[in-house]
Each structure stands twice: as C-alpha cells, then as structure tokens.
Amino acid sequence: MWILQLICVVTFVTTSHCSDITTAVFGNVLDGMPAAFGDFDSDELTDVFMVRKDGKTVQVFLAAEQEPLLRPNNDLKCSFKEPVTSVVPGDFDGDVFMDILVTTMNQITKLTDVYILWGGNKDSVVQLNCTTELLFSMRGQPLALDYNRDMIIDLFGMNENYNRSFWIFTENRGKFKIIPMLDKKYKNMEKISHPHSNAFLDLNNDFLPDLVVTTNKSFEVWHGKEDGFVFNRHIDLPRNAKVIGQTLYLDVELTGKVDLLLPLCYDEAKHINCTIMMYSKCVWHDLQINFRDKINTWAFIKGDGQRYTDAITLRGGDFNMDGYPDLLATLESTSTKQRQSFLLENVACNSCNGFNRTFDIRWQALNPFYNETVMAVFYDFYQDGILDVILVELVDKANKVYRTAAFKNSLDYDANFVKVMVLTGRNNSMYPISPGSLGKKKRTYGTNLPGPSIAYRTTTQDGSPRNAIAAQLPQSAYFSLNLPYTTFGLGRTPNFVDSLTIGVGGKSREWPQIIPNSQMVVIPNPISKPYRWKAQLFVTPSKLILLSAAALSGTCGLISLIIVSLYWKERREDKIEKLQEAHRFPFDAM
C-alpha cells in the first residue's frame, strides 16, 4: 500500500514540476504584470506588454524560441508619474510599426490621461519613443477599433463631458479628429458604465464590425455601416442582478453565432449567490455553475479597486482543444477568503433547457498554482497551437507585491488545431524587409487589428458538420488581455478544415481545405479586393506524425541491423569455409 502512495506522490510532484515552467519562461524576472499582447518586433512571435515598477512602468517582454521564452528589453521601457491603468498595442499612425497606447489615472482631475509611445525602426532594430506628452484626457478607458477601415487604430469612449466620442487617427503622427456618436432615432444616450465591457465585433454576419456599448441599464448594439454606426437595439441586463461583471463574447455552443457571457452576483454584500449568464437566441440563460468543491463554496471577487480584481472578468480560450471555448476565472472562498484562479471547462449539458453547453470548474487543473492567484490568461508559450496559462500571484497583500508564473498545458492526447491571425495589411515602402525568426527575412504587413471575424466549417470524426466563429481583439480596456490571434481546437479530427472565412471591413474571403495544425496569417490588402488578400500558412507537425516518423525510423533501423548481422554472419561462414578448404589434406596428389 505504501508503495502505491509513494508512486502517487512521485507522480504528482513530477506532474507539478512539469506544469510549472515559470523559470523557463520568465527566468528570474517575475515582477511583470501582463497588460496586453502583440508582435512588437514583427518576428512572428507574440510579445507581452508588462506593467512593472509599482505599476508605473510599461516594458515589452520579447518572445523567443529559446529559454527564457519571454525576455525584458531595457530599450523598450517607459515610465510614467501615475499608475498605468491600461495598455493597447496597435498602429496609430499607419507606419506599419506597432505603437503602444498607455492610459493613466490623474489623481487630481479623476480623468484618464492618454499617451502614445510611438514605435519605429532603425537599422532593422525596433525602437520605442518614450514620451510624457499628454495626447488627451477622457472618462473611463478607451476601446480600440477601426472606425473608417483605413487600418489605422482609432478609439471610442467618453470625453471629459461624458459625451460618447470617436478619436480618429491618421498618418500624421499624433494628430486626430474627434467625431461625436450621433443617431437621429436615439438621442438620450446613457452614460457608459464604469468599468465597461464595450466591444467591437461583427454580430449580424455582414462582415462589418458592430459596436456594443455597456451602460448601467442595458447593452446597446450599434450596427456598423459605411460611415459609422447606427443604433439597432437594447439588450436588457438580467433581472435582480446586483453586481455585473465584464462581458465576454464567445461562440459557446459552436452554432456560428457569438454569445454574450456575463458573470454576475445577485447579492452585493457577500457575493455568495453568483452565476454566469449567457445571452443566446435573444434570451438570457443561467448556466447554473456549481461553485462548491468538496470543502468550500466559492464566488466571484467583489471589486476591490486592485489591478485584475477591480471587476469580475472571464477570459476565454480552448484549453483542451476539443473545439469548445473554455474559461479562466478568479474566485474567492466565501469562508477562508482565499483567492485562486480556476479553469472552467466547456461541457455538455443534457438537462439544460434552451441551451446544450455549460461550464464545469476543474478545481485541480492548474495545480501546483493553488494559492492567491489573482489573474490567469491564456498564452501559447511554445507557438505550437496549445494554449498555456500565465498567472499572477499576490505574494504580499500588505505591500501589494505580485509575481508572474507560467503553467504548461500538457495534453494527454493528440489534438489538432487551426490558429489564425489577421493583420492590418499596411506596408511601408521605406521598411519593406525586417528580420524574422531564425534570421530569416520577411516583409512587414502590419500589426494588431481589432474586429475581424474568423469562421470555419469542418466535419468531425463521426461525420457530423461543425462550424464556429470568433472575433479577433473585440475588447481592449480594463486588462481584457485578448490574444492577437484565434485558436480553434479541432479535437482528434484529422480531416481538412472544409473552409475558413475571414471578414474584414465589410469584405470577406474564404479559403478551402485548410490543413489541420496550421498557423495562418492573413494580410487583407487591399481591403476592397478580397481576391488579392494573402495568406501565409505554417504547418506544425502533430504528435502522431512525429511518432509515425519515429516508428518508421526505428523499423528501418531494425531492418538495417538485421541485414548487417546476416551479411556479417554470411561473410563469417564464407571465411570459415575458405580456411577449411586451405587446411584440407590433398589426397588426390598421393
């Protein structure tokens, strides 16, 4: 019996050690707090924008293919007088290179101050121009979008007078114009909620991104049109909800439609009665999440004004690669007040009325990270299509000291995927070539683009059709931490993806027969001519292919060994026979 217990302990320790790859990812730099993602140096690897130094410094951690996988670059670091409240990477001047929008909270005016750190390139080395010049001030945090489809990132939010506005940027660096949000049929606009979960994504399948505005009373859906947005409808908040979290936009049931996921609590004081609501087919559905483990009852954290826990936030991604998006959420024990981040797996629900999927909390999925983790977000460390997890731990509550950790997702089966990233498609004649990974040369085709819709159709192993849709970078405020790419898990399906459809700015293009385990980069240039859009395809060999190659190599080696041994045996027998012939007495000569 004790031998079995020892084996279990050794297995658990080994598994935990393999899952915790913090040193391999961050080395000894663990004080960075993730704020955003993007490929800053155009090397085809996703970098992480970190907040450091008491929350007043923004630094780019460049991704690498060798350990440590994320490396802080001291030349890409800027500091501010006030704590940083949000970071938005994007091209705000149309020069192809990624800039960094940073917001801070002005403690005197209580306004959000907006700055842009301009990116550039000199002698094939990316640069960052640190500036303390205030661009403008606003209420709340901005949403990144592309208002006029020129592939230059614009902003949406409330100005100092609480009026909804768009800030439209041009190729003239630092210059912008302000356009008020107007609609003839909808004049008495509510204030945007604080914090908000505004989003920029296509909801009516016309490939024009729409705008979702959150207020304290409802969600407003504004449909995109050629010259802005037009009000469409209200979506009322669920009844009797006291605490509303941040909305997440996912295709939960793989219906080809984006659903709204809303975490909330019905009691404001203790946060005991909490759930996740899903808005699908014009109805709110209670997903009936079981927040009780074997010992404690857990609930969403009440907003405490701290980074990551100021609002109830869910983060989505397909952790087990079965095709259905899973969730990461930070919960708090109602008895011990311990905080911990958990994986919520998307599972079938046969007894549910009006929907067929819900989420089940996997209490041990992120072990050994089981104490005081205040944030978890998906990230692909090894660029293999499998989503790992970045976690932030609160190691000192009194002094608010945080530490970053990394968890490796070790799937116990071979699953396929398709990973898609849509770029802005802009180019710069002055810098046509930039160094890529492994010293290769590649063209720069732009940076993060919010709003594209990405959909696929395929056939599962049992012959049933499957389709899903996702929006790229629909949100940017309040550390939403959306990845600049979309990963669709395909499960064990080895079939080709029948079609992949990309929608950008009211135009779309379909690519047929996509190879599984592909990483696809789409360059929608020119935007008005989809037939000229380019797609770069990178194929990642699956475990089955590698195992097959290993088995084939082993078989060939074994056959070669048998042939060599038989050949050696035959030569040995021939040699013995010749020796016997040489020593034979010549009786015929007598």
Side-chain angles (χ1 to χ4, degrees):
M1 182 66 182
W2 66 271
I3 296 178
L4 292 176
Q5 293 178 348
L6 180 61
I7 293 174
C8 291
V9 170
V10 171
T11 303
F12 173 77
V13 172
T14 304
T15 304
S16 300
H17 177 72
C18 293
S19 298
D20 185 357
I21 56 171
T22 302
T23 303
V25 173
F26 297 105
N28 58 358
V29 183
L30 304 179
D31 65 333
M33 289 175 284
F37 301 104
D39 185 5
F40 186 80
D41 54 354
S42 300
D43 65 348
E44 301 160 8
L45 301 176
T46 303
D47 309 314
V48 183
F49 299 82
M50 295 284 197
V51 176
R52 302 182 65 191
K53 309 296 183 183
D54 297 328
K56 297 182 180 181
T57 298
V58 175
Q59 186 170 10
V60 182
F61 279 47
L62 296 178
E65 295 184 331
Q66 290 81 32
E67 297 180 1
L69 300 177
L70 292 174
R71 306 175 182 181
N73 189 308
N74 290 326
D75 295 328
L76 305 177
K77 178 175 64 175
C78 300
S79 298
F80 298 85
K81 295 180 180 179
E82 302 290 345
V84 174
T85 56
S86 70
V87 176
V88 183
D91 185 4
F92 291 90
D93 58 0
D95 67 348
V96 175
F97 300 109
M98 183 172 286
D99 311 307
I100 307 175
L101 182 141
V102 179
T103 66
T104 63
M105 174 58 70
N106 191 312
Q107 300 300 326
I108 299 176
T109 63
K110 301 302 179 182
L111 295 173
T112 297
D113 292 338
V114 179
Y115 305 86
I116 292 184
L117 311 176
W118 302 104
N121 185 297
K122 184 177 181 180
D123 299 329
S124 297
V125 178
V126 291
Q127 294 182 330
L128 187 64
N129 179 21
C130 292
T131 177
T132 57
E133 180 182 355
L134 177 64
L135 201 62
F136 62 89
S137 297
M138 62 181 299
R139 302 281 180 182
Q141 295 184 15
L143 168 70
L145 47 75
D146 184 8
Y147 180 85
N148 51 5
R149 294 178 296 283
D150 61 352
M151 298 299 170
I152 298 177
I153 307 304
D154 309 308
L155 300 174
F156 168 74
M158 288 192 303
N159 63 14
E160 300 178 22
N161 299 319
Y162 296 96
N163 296 320
R164 301 181 188 180
S165 304
F166 297 94
W167 286 263
I168 312 302
F169 291 86
T170 65
E171 294 182 356
N172 191 358
R173 175 175 288 187
K175 303 298 181 181
F176 58 89
K177 62 179 179 179
I178 301 177
I179 298 178
M181 188 179 199
L182 300 174
D183 189 278
K184 295 180 180 179
K185 298 180 180 179
Y186 185 55
K187 296 182 179 180
N188 298 322
M189 299 182 187
E190 297 285 338
K191 293 181 181 179
I192 297 176
S193 59
H194 178 80
H196 66 76
S197 50
N198 297 341
F200 182 63
L201 73 165
D202 181 19
L203 293 176
N204 57 352
N205 296 327
D206 64 351
F207 305 114
L208 272 174
D210 308 310
L211 185 62
V212 180
V213 182
T214 57
T215 70
N216 293 327
K217 295 182 179 180
S218 66
F219 296 96
E220 297 176 6
V221 178
W222 294 69
H223 281 172
K225 58 178 184 177
E226 292 297 327
D227 56 348
F229 299 90
V230 59
F231 177 76
N232 178 260
R233 69 185 187 277
H234 287 282
I235 299 176
D236 293 330
L237 296 176
R239 294 182 179 180
N240 302 322
K242 300 298 183 182
V243 181
I244 303 294
Q246 300 292 87
T247 310
L248 188 64
Y249 303 86
L250 294 175
D251 185 1
V252 177
E253 301 176 288
L254 300 190
T255 60
K257 298 284 186 180
V258 176
D259 304 313
L260 277 67
L261 287 180
L262 182 63
L264 55 83
C265 295
Y266 291 104
D267 57 320
E268 189 172 2
K270 296 183 179 180
H271 273 218
I272 296 178
N273 187 9
C274 298
T275 188
I276 298 177
M277 302 292 289
M278 179 177 69
Y279 188 80
S280 178
K281 301 175 183 176
C282 301
V283 178
W284 285 108
H285 301 280
D286 187 348
L287 297 185
Q288 303 171 6
I289 309 298
N290 181 12
F291 285 97
R292 181 167 180 80
D293 62 5
K294 296 180 179 179
I295 302 175
N296 299 317
T297 298
W298 298 75
F300 292 120
I301 298 175
K302 186 177 181 180
D304 55 5
Q306 302 299 319
R307 184 176 287 111
Y308 303 129
T309 54
D310 187 33
I312 303 173
T313 305
L314 305 174
R315 295 180 174 89
D318 191 356
F319 185 78
N320 55 4
M321 307 297 288
D322 65 345
Y324 294 92
D326 308 305
L327 301 176
L328 290 172
T330 301
L331 306 177
E332 183 179 62
S333 171
T334 57
S335 56
T336 64
K337 301 303 178 183
Q338 174 190 341
R339 296 180 176 182
Q340 186 177 345
S341 297
F342 294 101
L343 172 72
L344 282 68
E345 183 181 351
N346 190 326
V347 296
C349 183
N350 298 323
S351 60
C352 297
N353 184 18
F355 58 100
N356 55 33
R357 306 293 298 188
T358 185
F359 293 94
D360 191 11
I361 302 177
R362 301 305 186 194
W363 303 103
Q364 307 298 325
L366 299 182
N367 280 345
F369 302 103
Y370 54 85
N371 191 25
E372 294 302 328
T373 49
V374 297
M375 193 279 293
V377 63
F378 292 110
Y379 180 85
D380 185 2
F381 289 119
Y382 294 96
Q383 310 297 324
D384 57 0
I386 298 176
L387 293 179
D388 308 298
V389 181
I390 297 177
L391 300 104
V392 175
E393 300 173 306
L394 181 60
V395 295
D396 188 346
K397 288 185 178 181
N399 298 316
K400 299 178 182 178
V401 178
Y402 296 88
R403 181 176 63 192
T404 310
F407 175 87
K408 177 175 172 50
N409 180 8
S410 301
L411 288 176
D412 56 357
Y413 62 92
D414 190 31
N416 298 307
F417 68 92
V418 170
K419 183 176 177 180
V420 185
M421 179 168 59
V422 184
L423 302 178
T424 57
R426 296 185 67 92
N427 50 51
N428 191 329
S429 59
M430 295 179 62
Y431 305 98
I433 302 294
S434 63
S437 57
L438 301 178
K440 299 177 182 178
K441 295 292 183 179
K442 60 176 283 294
R443 287 187 174 272
T444 301
Y445 288 105
T447 59
N448 290 7
L449 178 63
S453 63
I454 305 168
Y456 78 90
R457 290 186 295 105
T458 189
T459 304
T460 60
Q461 280 184 313
D462 58 5
S464 58
R466 169 183 287 185
N467 62 317
I469 192 170
Q472 179 175 286
L473 293 171
Q475 297 167 296
S476 59
Y478 301 100
F479 297 103
S480 56
L481 289 168
N482 288 299
L483 290 168
Y485 52 79
T486 299
T487 301
F488 293 109
L490 302 176
R492 298 176 182 268
T493 303
N495 301 334
F496 280 72
V497 176
D498 295 335
S499 68
L500 183 73
T501 304
I502 307 296
V504 182
K507 306 294 182 180
S508 67
R509 180 173 175 180
E510 180 179 297
W511 279 270
Q513 298 298 306
I514 303 299
I515 303 173
N517 290 354
S518 298
Q519 303 191 45
M520 187 172 178
V521 179
V522 178
I523 301 102
N525 184 29
I527 187 65
S528 60
K529 299 178 180 179
Y531 64 90
R532 293 180 56 186
W533 293 0
K534 298 178 181 178
Q536 297 179 350
L537 200 65
F538 307 92
V539 180
T540 303
S542 69
K543 294 179 183 178
L544 285 177
I545 295 177
L546 297 178
L547 290 175
S548 300
L552 182 61
S553 301
T555 303
C556 293
L558 180 61
I559 294 174
S560 300
L561 183 62
I562 294 174
I563 293 174
V564 170
S565 62
L566 291 175
Y567 176 73
W568 177 81
K569 182 180 179 181
E570 185 178 1
R571 288 197 59 182
R572 184 170 177 272
E573 291 176 351
D574 290 343
K575 186 176 181 180
I576 293 174
E577 186 176 351
K578 288 181 179 179
L579 289 174
Q580 290 176 348
E581 289 286 342
H583 290 85
R584 183 178 298 173
F585 187 80
F587 291 101
D588 295 338
M590 294 179 63

